[in-house]
Amino acid sequence: MRNLIHTPFRYSYFSANLFLIGFNIIFFTLTSSSYKLLSLLGMNAAEVIYGHKFWQPLTYMFVHGNIRHLLSNMIGLIFFGTAVERAIGSKEYLLMYLLCGLLSGLASLGYFYWNGDYFSLLIGASGAVYTIMFAFAVIFPKSMILLFFIIPIPAPILVILYTAFELFSEMNSLQAGVAHYTHLFGFLAAFFYFIIRMGINPLKIWAKTYF
């Protein structure tokens, strides 16, 4: 019997990344003039647990608070997502993006509940975008990323630096309103996606590349 978890999709490419960007833009356009719709699609622990709005751990990743929030995530998708999709195929890319974004949402929901934070609204594609950034660093470990558009840094090192920054920011309550834990959950979801779905250990890939 074939193991569906490890069975790869037949490679195909149909610019799924552009569809994801389009959906984000459409959702932003619809919610920018309606806070009621924004709060309906964003994720709120009380609404999910007690209001039975079980779609929110999925829909939150298509909702953004302002144009800057939207642009920062979509630029990340354009830069990292296009290369990742071409490397693994559109079907695998969509599965990775949506599944890891969902897992990031569910993990964030658990984090909200554990901290007694029932009324914060989680919005944005950052969890899924961080997943794709992680995937880029695994698939293209020798690639150099220009930090602040100036400093060249290997992609895996950038992931490590981002992880340290997000942990530090969360523990020290920096950048209020930014869901640092959701970013970290995006990295974590990607790590286990590669381990379980693709049979690849990212740490071994990086170690083999640089040591």
Side-chain angles (χ1 to χ4, degrees):
M1 183 176 177
R2 298 173 66 189
N3 188 333
L4 293 179
I5 292 177
H6 300 294
T7 302
F9 294 115
R10 179 175 294 180
Y11 184 90
S12 64
Y13 181 80
F14 48 82
S15 299
N17 200 44
L18 291 180
F19 284 99
L20 289 173
I21 292 171
F23 276 120
N24 277 278
I25 293 173
I26 291 170
F27 272 65
F28 176 74
T29 302
L30 293 174
T31 58
S32 60
S33 59
S34 174
Y35 182 79
K36 183 177 181 180
L37 183 59
L38 179 74
S39 60
L40 184 67
L41 298 176
M43 193 181 77
N44 174 286
E47 292 288 353
V48 175
I49 297 170
Y50 303 112
H52 304 142
K53 293 182 172 61
F54 300 125
W55 60 83
Q56 290 187 350
L58 179 64
T59 57
Y60 83 96
M61 72 177 91
F62 293 101
V63 183
H64 292 82
N66 53 54
I67 191 67
R68 180 180 178 182
H69 188 200
L70 174 70
L71 285 177
S72 64
N73 281 327
M74 295 307 99
I75 289 171
L77 273 190
I78 292 171
F79 186 83
F80 298 110
T82 303
V84 171
E85 183 185 357
R86 287 191 178 278
I88 65 177
S90 299
K91 294 177 184 177
E92 195 71 47
Y93 179 79
L94 278 175
L95 177 62
M96 178 185 289
Y97 184 95
L98 295 174
L99 178 59
C100 291
L102 172 63
L103 292 174
S104 298
L106 292 172
S108 299
L109 178 64
Y111 186 87
F112 279 140
Y113 185 80
W114 182 65
N115 281 285
D117 187 359
Y118 300 114
F119 301 106
S120 291
L121 186 67
L122 179 65
I123 56 176
S126 299
V129 172
Y130 271 57
T131 285
I132 300 306
M133 184 195 306
F134 188 99
F136 181 91
V138 175
I139 298 169
F140 307 103
K142 293 183 179 180
S143 293
M144 304 295 288
I145 309 298
L146 291 179
L147 184 64
F148 306 123
F149 302 102
I150 300 173
I151 307 170
I153 295 180
I157 302 301
L158 184 68
V159 167
I160 293 171
L161 290 176
Y162 266 67
T163 300
F165 173 76
E166 298 296 345
L167 282 171
F168 179 82
S169 297
E170 181 62 27
M171 290 187 294
N172 292 276
S173 301
L174 301 181
Q175 293 183 306
V178 177
H180 300 288
Y181 46 84
T182 304
H183 300 167
L184 292 171
F185 292 147
F187 278 161
L188 193 62
F191 177 82
F192 283 110
Y193 188 95
F194 274 99
I195 293 286
I196 297 171
R197 165 71 178 169
M198 307 185 81
I200 296 172
N201 188 325
L203 299 181
K204 289 184 178 180
I205 294 291
W206 296 339
K208 185 183 295 185
T209 302
Y210 291 99
F211 298 102

